[in-house]
Amino acid sequence: MTQRTSNAAAEQSGGLPRQRRTFTIGELAKMFEVTPRTIRFYEQEGLLAPQRRGQTRIYHEKDRVRLKLTLRGKRLGFSLAEIREVVMMYDAMPDGNARQLQRLLEILAEKRANLERQLEDIRLMHKELDDVESRAREVLSSLGAEPPSH
């Protein structure tokens, strides 16, 4: 009986599983809709540390959570260094959770400020494009040419 089968049997019978749930690289890839290559990349970057049995990687719940945090960080635009910092705090000392959340809030504030600057830059660029377009249309009109429609 495999570990997964014994875990499932214990859970179905109302008992606690004897061992923690483990995952293969394929299971994690399917679970998070990423390629095994992506998972190996995050392992190479030090964000995941699966156990090894020969050539086989064995991922534990801690790895699953770290992958989840990593992928969420990427979706939010975090750099790998920022993700690494937050994920490593996940493993930290007893105050790790508070420290992790404080640092996460700092990173989010930085991201928010960056987005606000980018939005302002986009607004300014949009206004400049409108001005250039308006002048180009005026010049074309003064030359008797028909400006193209939007």
Side-chain angles (χ1 to χ4, degrees), residues 4-47:
R4 250 179 256 128
T5 308
S6 65
N7 286 352
E11 288 170 6
Q12 286 174 354
S13 66
L16 294 174
R18 279 179 261 150
Q19 295 181 344
R20 291 182 171 176
R21 169 88 162 92
T22 61
F23 307 91
T24 65
I25 194 168
E27 288 170 328
L28 285 180
K30 186 174 181 181
M31 185 182 299
F32 290 104
E33 299 178 342
V34 297
T35 64
R37 184 172 186 228
T38 297
I39 295 172
R40 287 190 297 272
F41 172 75
Y42 290 136
E43 179 184 343
Q44 182 182 356
E45 291 296 317
L47 295 166

Side-chain angles (χ1 to χ4, degrees), residues 103-115 117:
R103 180 60 185 141
L104 179 61
L105 289 173
E106 289 171 9
I107 292 170
L108 289 173
E110 292 168 13
K111 291 290 176 203
R112 186 178 309 275
N114 245 354
L115 284 172
R117 280 190 298 276

Side-chain angles (χ1 to χ4, degrees), residues 47 70 73-74 78-88:
L47 295 166
T70 298
K74 286 306 289 177
F78 287 24
S79 69
L80 281 177
E82 290 167 330
I83 292 169
R84 186 177 297 104
E85 183 179 2
V86 172
V87 167
M88 293 305 177

Side-chain angles (χ1 to χ4, degrees), residues 25 29 40 45 48 52 56 58 61 63 69 77 88 92 106 134 138 141 143 146:
I25 194 168
R40 287 190 297 272
E45 291 296 317
L48 301 173
R52 295 279 192 148
T56 306
I58 301 166
E61 182 63 19
D63 298 303
L69 289 171
M88 293 305 177
E106 289 171 9
S134 179
E138 287 173 13
S141 182
L143 295 173
E146 188 66 30

